[in-house]
Amino acid sequence: MEINDYIKAGKIAGEVRENVRKKNWVGSTVFEICEEVENEIKKRGAKCAFPVNTSINEVAAHYTAEPNDELTISDTDLVKIDLGAQINGYIADTAVTVCYDSQFDMLVKTAEDALNDAMSMMKVGVKSSDVGKTIEKRIKQMGFLPIANLSGHSLEQYTIHAGKSVPNIWSIGSFRFSEEAFACEPFVTTGEGLGFVHEGKIKNIFSLSTRKKTKNKEADRLLDYIWDNFNTLPFALRWIKEWDENEARDLLTILIKKKAVHAYPILVEGNNQRVAQAEHTFIPNENGVTITTIAP
Ligand code: MN
Ligand code: MN
């Protein structure tokens, strides 16, 4: 584990997230948000660990802008902006919810409070089920619901979801936290929500599954391009610069059909209720925790 790279990536991601929080995004398109936030990450000397996610209202996660996406933030929207920076493949994953309808301010605050509760109890040896219990308790105390089938995760070099889950509810099957990198990300919906997400139709985030050749020469060239530029980390169509948009889209479709590339569907709240999210990346230690993405 390269702790210095985790810290460097975290400092950049935390700084960018705080700027995202302060800005008024009403009237901006999701394309403008994604491009601006990704440029802020690169300007600070990191690479993007995944395309910036701009998931609006009942969409909980995994929406990123299509090329020139005109979807525009309105003055009643709640938007989860989830961003990732990486240095040599060591990832900082963090998110903030911006909200322009004061009716949902408590939803946003509760996600933040639940995350802070989890960070306060964290150290080496803590049980993951106890963290889930703490997050669930805080959220239910407020009359809200955690999204039970979304969770945080362990991180490894060039791997965002490295196998261990950091739950947002009490759950059977637990591990004790060790000194490695994790993301904690409570998702909160209203009391009218289902508390579960399902997969939506839209898929605009992708990642490489295998480098095995497809026998289509141009598709294989895209496969190499993906490996060279994004490794096994997620990417968006916006990021493919060597082909024009339609050509890239067609080649990507071929790679998905051949199972060389995986497409991630958006995740939507089961009762179409709004969802708020807060997220930090952290490394537990014997005395507590290093939150790599802590606000500067
Ligand atoms: Mn994230
Ligand atoms: Mn995450």
Side-chain angles (χ1 to χ4, degrees):
M1 182 175 74
E2 196 43 84
I3 190 138
N4 289 330
D5 286 346
Y6 273 121
I7 300 284
K8 268 190 223 164
K11 187 169 185 289
I12 290 168
E15 221 174 272
V16 173
R17 184 201 59 234
E18 289 313 301
N19 290 341
V20 165
R21 190 197 303 277
K22 282 175 210 146
K23 193 163 168 174
N24 182 354
W25 297 100
V26 172
S28 297
T29 66
V30 290
F31 179 78
E32 289 165 344
I33 299 174
C34 289
E35 294 280 311
E36 182 174 329
V37 175
E38 287 164 10
N39 283 333
E40 289 295 319
I41 292 168
K42 290 183 246 175
K43 225 168 64 185
R44 287 169 172 76
K47 288 183 176 172
C48 294
F50 50 83
V52 167
N53 289 206
T54 49
S55 306
I56 302 177
N57 299 334
E58 72 277 11
V59 179
H62 292 177
Y63 186 96
T64 195
E66 293 288 339
N68 304 311
D69 198 326
E70 284 176 359
L71 182 62
T72 302
I73 308 306
S74 86
D75 61 3
T76 57
D77 280 340
L78 173 156
V79 191
K80 291 143 303 276
I81 300 176
D82 192 330
L83 59 107
Q86 58 107 339
I87 306 267
N88 298 318
Y90 297 100
I91 298 162
D93 180 3
T94 187
V96 62
T97 301
V98 294
C99 180
Y100 305 109
D101 183 341
S102 59
Q103 203 191 323
F104 296 98
D105 285 350
M106 276 316 284
L107 210 60
V108 176
K109 183 177 184 295
T110 301
E112 298 273 349
D113 288 347
L115 176 59
N116 290 334
D117 288 352
M119 292 299 95
S120 300
M121 70 185 290
M122 184 56 62
K123 64 181 201 172
V124 164
V126 166
K127 279 165 71 181
S128 63
S129 57
D130 288 339
V131 173
K133 191 158 76 179
T134 298
I135 291 171
E136 179 174 15
K137 188 177 158 202
R138 164 70 74 166
I139 294 171
K140 288 190 170 165
Q141 242 169 26
M142 299 305 297
F144 300 138
L145 285 172
I147 301 291
N149 61 340
L150 287 177
S151 58
H153 44 92
S154 54
L155 294 155
E156 280 171 13
Q157 191 182 25
Y158 291 110
T159 308
I160 292 177
H161 290 259
K164 292 178 192 163
S165 290
V166 182
N168 292 323
I169 53 163
W170 183 88
S171 49
I172 343 169
S174 189
F175 64 90
R176 287 182 188 274
F177 281 94
S178 53
E179 199 161 345
E180 57 185 316
F182 294 91
C184 180
E185 47 185 316
F187 288 83
V188 184
T189 191
T190 73
E192 286 76 53
L194 188 63
F196 286 85
V197 288
H198 60 74
E199 296 184 347
K201 287 208 175 98
I202 297 170
K203 296 175 182 177
N204 48 32
I205 298 174
F206 311 94
S207 72
L208 185 70
S209 301
T210 168
R211 296 191 65 200
K212 215 178 130 216
K213 296 283 182 264
T214 64
K215 291 173 186 164
N216 176 316
K217 209 176 156 197
E218 203 57 12
D220 287 345
R221 217 163 68 75
L222 177 57
L223 207 56
D224 286 337
Y225 178 91
I226 292 167
W227 171 253
D228 291 343
N229 288 280
F230 320 127
N231 198 293
T232 51
L233 290 171
F235 62 91
L237 188 59
R238 294 181 282 114
W239 288 6
I240 299 172
K241 309 279 190 192
E242 261 189 48
W243 292 262
D244 71 46
E245 185 186 327
N246 288 328
E247 222 178 342
R249 201 184 290 276
D250 291 346
L251 291 171
L252 200 52
T253 305
I254 294 171
L255 293 177
I256 293 164
K257 273 194 187 134
K258 301 261 184 191
K259 297 202 172 3
V261 164
H262 177 72
Y264 298 85
I266 60 166
L267 299 170
V268 186
E269 210 291 316
N271 284 346
N272 290 315
Q273 290 293 303
R274 295 189 183 206
V275 180
Q277 174 203 18
E279 180 176 25
H280 272 313
T281 295
F282 65 93
I283 302 170
N285 59 54
E286 294 297 331
N287 304 311
V289 64
T290 303
I291 302 171
T292 66
T293 52
I294 200 156

mmCIF file of all heavy atoms in Angstrom, residues 50 53 61-62 81-84 92-95 153 160-161 183-185 187 277-281, ligand 1:
data_model
loop_
_atom_site.group_PDB
_atom_site.id
_atom_site.type_symbol
_atom_site.label_atom_id
_atom_site.label_comp_id
_atom_site.label_asym_id
_atom_site.label_seq_id
_atom_site.Cartn_x
_atom_site.Cartn_y
_atom_site.Cartn_z
ATOM 1 N N PHE A 50 -12.339 7.868 -11.942
ATOM 2 C CA PHE A 50 -13.557 7.456 -12.658
ATOM 3 C C PHE A 50 -14.240 8.733 -13.134
ATOM 4 O O PHE A 50 -13.916 9.827 -12.644
ATOM 5 C CB PHE A 50 -14.490 6.625 -11.752
ATOM 6 C CG PHE A 50 -14.780 7.234 -10.408
ATOM 7 C CD1 PHE A 50 -15.776 8.197 -10.253
ATOM 8 C CD2 PHE A 50 -14.052 6.856 -9.282
ATOM 9 C CE1 PHE A 50 -16.039 8.758 -9.018
ATOM 10 C CE2 PHE A 50 -14.316 7.417 -8.032
ATOM 11 C CZ PHE A 50 -15.314 8.375 -7.903
ATOM 12 N N ASN A 53 -19.543 11.536 -11.289
ATOM 13 C CA ASN A 53 -20.958 11.138 -11.309
ATOM 14 C C ASN A 53 -21.800 12.338 -10.901
ATOM 15 O O ASN A 53 -21.508 12.992 -9.897
ATOM 16 C CB ASN A 53 -21.238 10.014 -10.303
ATOM 17 C CG ASN A 53 -20.654 8.657 -10.695
ATOM 18 O OD1 ASN A 53 -21.178 7.633 -10.270
ATOM 19 N ND2 ASN A 53 -19.582 8.627 -11.475
ATOM 20 N N ALA A 61 -26.933 6.827 -7.952
ATOM 21 C CA ALA A 61 -25.525 6.730 -8.344
ATOM 22 C C ALA A 61 -25.369 6.310 -9.804
ATOM 23 O O ALA A 61 -26.320 5.839 -10.440
ATOM 24 C CB ALA A 61 -24.809 5.722 -7.443
ATOM 25 N N HIS A 62 -24.126 6.493 -10.299
ATOM 26 C CA HIS A 62 -23.655 5.945 -11.582
ATOM 27 C C HIS A 62 -24.199 6.645 -12.818
ATOM 28 O O HIS A 62 -24.238 6.047 -13.893
ATOM 29 C CB HIS A 62 -23.916 4.418 -11.665
ATOM 30 C CG HIS A 62 -23.064 3.648 -10.704
ATOM 31 N ND1 HIS A 62 -23.151 2.295 -10.534
ATOM 32 C CD2 HIS A 62 -22.096 4.055 -9.841
ATOM 33 C CE1 HIS A 62 -22.289 1.891 -9.615
ATOM 34 N NE2 HIS A 62 -21.635 2.954 -9.173
ATOM 35 N N ILE A 81 -22.694 14.720 -6.343
ATOM 36 C CA ILE A 81 -21.507 14.845 -7.193
ATOM 37 C C ILE A 81 -20.409 13.999 -6.555
ATOM 38 O O ILE A 81 -19.941 14.284 -5.459
ATOM 39 C CB ILE A 81 -21.109 16.321 -7.377
ATOM 40 C CG1 ILE A 81 -22.282 17.073 -8.049
ATOM 41 C CG2 ILE A 81 -19.831 16.438 -8.208
ATOM 42 C CD1 ILE A 81 -22.089 18.559 -8.215
ATOM 43 N N ASP A 82 -20.086 12.911 -7.244
ATOM 44 C CA ASP A 82 -19.176 11.896 -6.719
ATOM 45 C C ASP A 82 -17.933 11.912 -7.595
ATOM 46 O O ASP A 82 -18.032 11.775 -8.817
ATOM 47 C CB ASP A 82 -19.881 10.525 -6.763
ATOM 48 C CG ASP A 82 -19.152 9.451 -5.978
ATOM 49 O OD1 ASP A 82 -17.917 9.520 -5.873
ATOM 50 O OD2 ASP A 82 -19.829 8.519 -5.502
ATOM 51 N N LEU A 83 -16.763 12.135 -6.977
ATOM 52 C CA LEU A 83 -15.553 12.326 -7.775
ATOM 53 C C LEU A 83 -14.409 11.483 -7.246
ATOM 54 O O LEU A 83 -14.359 11.151 -6.058
ATOM 55 C CB LEU A 83 -15.191 13.809 -7.799
ATOM 56 C CG LEU A 83 -14.922 14.491 -6.465
ATOM 57 C CD1 LEU A 83 -13.421 14.756 -6.298
ATOM 58 C CD2 LEU A 83 -15.697 15.795 -6.367
ATOM 59 N N GLY A 84 -13.493 11.131 -8.143
ATOM 60 C CA GLY A 84 -12.356 10.298 -7.770
ATOM 61 C C GLY A 84 -11.066 10.811 -8.368
ATOM 62 O O GLY A 84 -11.015 11.157 -9.548
ATOM 63 N N ALA A 92 -8.635 8.159 -4.354
ATOM 64 C CA ALA A 92 -9.457 8.874 -3.380
ATOM 65 C C ALA A 92 -10.845 9.001 -3.978
ATOM 66 O O ALA A 92 -11.005 9.483 -5.099
ATOM 67 C CB ALA A 92 -8.876 10.254 -3.105
ATOM 68 N N ASP A 93 -11.849 8.522 -3.245
ATOM 69 C CA ASP A 93 -13.234 8.467 -3.725
ATOM 70 C C ASP A 93 -14.060 9.264 -2.722
ATOM 71 O O ASP A 93 -14.074 8.938 -1.531
ATOM 72 C CB ASP A 93 -13.640 6.974 -3.763
ATOM 73 C CG ASP A 93 -15.057 6.735 -4.241
ATOM 74 O OD1 ASP A 93 -15.743 7.694 -4.615
ATOM 75 O OD2 ASP A 93 -15.463 5.545 -4.232
ATOM 76 N N THR A 94 -14.721 10.324 -3.185
ATOM 77 C CA THR A 94 -15.448 11.192 -2.255
ATOM 78 C C THR A 94 -16.652 11.817 -2.950
ATOM 79 O O THR A 94 -16.657 11.965 -4.179
ATOM 80 C CB THR A 94 -14.508 12.276 -1.671
ATOM 81 O OG1 THR A 94 -15.197 13.004 -0.658
ATOM 82 C CG2 THR A 94 -14.013 13.242 -2.737
ATOM 83 N N ALA A 95 -17.670 12.143 -2.167
ATOM 84 C CA ALA A 95 -18.887 12.695 -2.759
ATOM 85 C C ALA A 95 -19.509 13.744 -1.857
ATOM 86 O O ALA A 95 -19.333 13.725 -0.636
ATOM 87 C CB ALA A 95 -19.894 11.583 -3.015
ATOM 88 N N HIS A 153 -16.716 0.457 0.331
ATOM 89 C CA HIS A 153 -15.927 -0.626 -0.254
ATOM 90 C C HIS A 153 -14.450 -0.470 0.068
ATOM 91 O O HIS A 153 -13.986 0.661 0.304
ATOM 92 C CB HIS A 153 -16.119 -0.621 -1.777
ATOM 93 C CG HIS A 153 -16.055 0.768 -2.361
ATOM 94 N ND1 HIS A 153 -14.903 1.314 -2.834
ATOM 95 C CD2 HIS A 153 -16.995 1.757 -2.472
ATOM 96 C CE1 HIS A 153 -15.135 2.551 -3.251
ATOM 97 N NE2 HIS A 153 -16.399 2.859 -3.036
ATOM 98 N N ILE A 160 -11.463 -0.019 -7.676
ATOM 99 C CA ILE A 160 -12.334 0.785 -6.806
ATOM 100 C C ILE A 160 -13.115 -0.091 -5.840
ATOM 101 O O ILE A 160 -13.259 0.239 -4.674
ATOM 102 C CB ILE A 160 -13.278 1.664 -7.644
ATOM 103 C CG1 ILE A 160 -12.443 2.736 -8.359
ATOM 104 C CG2 ILE A 160 -14.309 2.362 -6.760
ATOM 105 C CD1 ILE A 160 -13.237 3.600 -9.261
ATOM 106 N N HIS A 161 -13.646 -1.198 -6.340
ATOM 107 C CA HIS A 161 -14.402 -2.098 -5.462
ATOM 108 C C HIS A 161 -13.572 -3.361 -5.262
ATOM 109 O O HIS A 161 -13.633 -4.283 -6.064
ATOM 110 C CB HIS A 161 -15.788 -2.392 -6.045
ATOM 111 C CG HIS A 161 -16.686 -1.194 -5.991
ATOM 112 N ND1 HIS A 161 -17.652 -1.036 -5.034
ATOM 113 C CD2 HIS A 161 -16.723 -0.059 -6.742
ATOM 114 C CE1 HIS A 161 -18.263 0.134 -5.213
ATOM 115 N NE2 HIS A 161 -17.712 0.744 -6.248
ATOM 116 N N ALA A 183 -13.637 3.170 1.345
ATOM 117 C CA ALA A 183 -14.564 4.295 1.208
ATOM 118 C C ALA A 183 -15.809 3.972 2.014
ATOM 119 O O ALA A 183 -16.270 2.832 2.021
ATOM 120 C CB ALA A 183 -14.927 4.521 -0.252
ATOM 121 N N CYS A 184 -16.322 4.997 2.729
ATOM 122 C CA CYS A 184 -17.588 4.867 3.450
ATOM 123 C C CYS A 184 -18.553 5.845 2.789
ATOM 124 O O CYS A 184 -18.186 7.003 2.557
ATOM 125 C CB CYS A 184 -17.395 5.219 4.919
ATOM 126 S SG CYS A 184 -18.913 5.094 5.907
ATOM 127 N N GLU A 185 -19.746 5.393 2.433
ATOM 128 C CA GLU A 185 -20.669 6.263 1.704
ATOM 129 C C GLU A 185 -22.132 5.985 2.020
ATOM 130 O O GLU A 185 -22.795 5.274 1.283
ATOM 131 C CB GLU A 185 -20.415 6.197 0.193
ATOM 132 C CG GLU A 185 -20.255 4.811 -0.398
ATOM 133 C CD GLU A 185 -19.889 4.865 -1.885
ATOM 134 O OE1 GLU A 185 -20.480 5.661 -2.631
ATOM 135 O OE2 GLU A 185 -19.009 4.098 -2.294
ATOM 136 N N PHE A 187 -25.962 6.388 1.935
ATOM 137 C CA PHE A 187 -26.991 6.933 1.038
ATOM 138 C C PHE A 187 -28.292 6.984 1.843
ATOM 139 O O PHE A 187 -28.673 5.993 2.463
ATOM 140 C CB PHE A 187 -27.191 6.029 -0.174
ATOM 141 C CG PHE A 187 -26.065 6.056 -1.171
ATOM 142 C CD1 PHE A 187 -24.927 5.280 -0.985
ATOM 143 C CD2 PHE A 187 -26.154 6.845 -2.317
ATOM 144 C CE1 PHE A 187 -23.891 5.292 -1.921
ATOM 145 C CE2 PHE A 187 -25.132 6.863 -3.256
ATOM 146 C CZ PHE A 187 -23.996 6.085 -3.053
ATOM 147 N N GLN A 277 -26.205 11.573 -0.518
ATOM 148 C CA GLN A 277 -25.003 10.757 -0.292
ATOM 149 C C GLN A 277 -23.885 11.629 0.254
ATOM 150 O O GLN A 277 -23.769 12.801 -0.100
ATOM 151 C CB GLN A 277 -24.543 10.153 -1.635
ATOM 152 C CG GLN A 277 -23.229 9.387 -1.587
ATOM 153 C CD GLN A 277 -22.548 9.305 -2.960
ATOM 154 O OE1 GLN A 277 -22.883 10.084 -3.860
ATOM 155 N NE2 GLN A 277 -21.609 8.413 -3.116
ATOM 156 N N ALA A 278 -23.074 11.047 1.142
ATOM 157 C CA ALA A 278 -21.812 11.678 1.547
ATOM 158 C C ALA A 278 -20.768 10.579 1.524
ATOM 159 O O ALA A 278 -21.085 9.408 1.796
ATOM 160 C CB ALA A 278 -21.920 12.277 2.940
ATOM 161 N N GLU A 279 -19.533 10.907 1.182
ATOM 162 C CA GLU A 279 -18.506 9.859 1.072
ATOM 163 C C GLU A 279 -17.112 10.383 1.377
ATOM 164 O O GLU A 279 -16.740 11.477 0.954
ATOM 165 C CB GLU A 279 -18.509 9.259 -0.348
ATOM 166 C CG GLU A 279 -17.467 8.151 -0.529
ATOM 167 C CD GLU A 279 -17.534 7.479 -1.896
ATOM 168 O OE1 GLU A 279 -18.019 8.113 -2.854
ATOM 169 O OE2 GLU A 279 -17.094 6.320 -2.005
ATOM 170 N N HIS A 280 -16.368 9.572 2.140
ATOM 171 C CA HIS A 280 -14.946 9.811 2.387
ATOM 172 C C HIS A 280 -14.158 8.539 2.089
ATOM 173 O O HIS A 280 -14.691 7.431 2.206
ATOM 174 C CB HIS A 280 -14.684 10.140 3.861
ATOM 175 C CG HIS A 280 -14.798 11.588 4.207
ATOM 176 N ND1 HIS A 280 -14.219 12.592 3.463
ATOM 177 C CD2 HIS A 280 -15.408 12.202 5.255
ATOM 178 C CE1 HIS A 280 -14.468 13.763 4.042
ATOM 179 N NE2 HIS A 280 -15.192 13.550 5.120
ATOM 180 N N THR A 281 -12.875 8.727 1.771
ATOM 181 C CA THR A 281 -11.931 7.617 1.738
ATOM 182 C C THR A 281 -11.088 7.689 3.006
ATOM 183 O O THR A 281 -10.726 8.785 3.447
ATOM 184 C CB THR A 281 -11.042 7.708 0.477
ATOM 185 O OG1 THR A 281 -11.886 7.545 -0.664
ATOM 186 C CG2 THR A 281 -9.952 6.646 0.465
HETATM 187 MN MN MN B 1 -17.803 7.630 -4.882
#
